Amino acid sequence: QPQTEFLYVLGGSTEDLSGFKFDATTGQLAPISIDTLAGTGPMDLVVDPLGRFVFVAHQLSAELSVFQISPGSGSLSEGLTRTALSEPPASLGIDAGGRHLFVTLPQSAQVLAYSIHPSTGELDFVSAAATGSGPGAVNSDPTGHFVYVSNAGGSTDTLSSYRFEEGQFTS
């Protein structure tokens, strides 16, 4: 995120979630402490734009993790029970205000929206919308009023656009 001094990455074929503090002048990275592994089959992560949380989507276990970011040190801890999904997720997105997390589910061709508790990061399901075949990347516009999903299933690739008001997808 633009206003943070931390970088978080998934370990590719491993189950690791790594964190680094970077020096804004030199660009040098220094490892920071993370209390737990990312889980089974971490697929994607997104950092809360307000620097409070890191959300991780787990493909093999079909669940979401919430890691709290420790102010100053950037260390991560997972204090909440993971959120179970009905199927493996593909990707995550978050609105610019850090109020909603979006998750794409390729098997059922859906995008889900969860509200984010501002102090704990707890996720509460609020809405779902049908997407095109094979939803992948998901993102919100800077105002949080629109959600976009890229669909790469079937014979053509498409981009779905949704109006998102008061936690609900609308036409």
Side-chain angles (χ1 to χ4, degrees), residues 2-143:
Q3 298 179 0
T4 187
E5 55 192 317
F6 308 110
L7 172 71
Y8 302 100
V9 295
L10 294 174
S13 63
T14 68
E15 301 295 320
D16 295 337
L17 172 61
S18 301
F20 301 90
K21 185 172 185 168
F22 62 88
D23 183 301
T25 304
T26 67
Q28 187 119 15
L29 297 174
I32 55 178
S33 171
I34 297 183
D35 290 347
T36 185
L37 296 178
T40 54
M43 177 69 176
D44 195 13
L45 72 74
V46 65
V47 178
D48 166 41
L50 304 177
R52 304 167 299 179
F53 313 107
V54 173
F55 300 95
V56 177
H58 305 279
Q59 188 173 43
L60 295 179
S61 59
E63 58 191 359
L64 303 171
S65 290
V66 179
F67 294 89
Q68 288 197 333
I69 300 172
S70 177
S73 73
S75 66
L76 300 179
S77 60
E78 185 178 16
L80 299 172
T81 302
R82 292 182 179 170
T83 301
L85 299 170
S86 61
E87 64 187 71
S91 67
L92 300 175
I94 192 167
D95 72 318
R99 293 177 309 270
H100 293 96
L101 179 74
F102 303 101
V103 182
T104 57
L105 301 178
Q107 292 173 2
S108 61
Q110 293 185 85
V111 59
L112 309 179
Y114 289 86
S115 65
I116 301 168
H117 189 281
S119 59
T120 67
E122 184 175 2
L123 299 173
D124 287 314
F125 174 78
V126 292
S127 187
T131 65
S133 181
V138 58
N139 214 333
S140 172
D141 79 308
T143 69

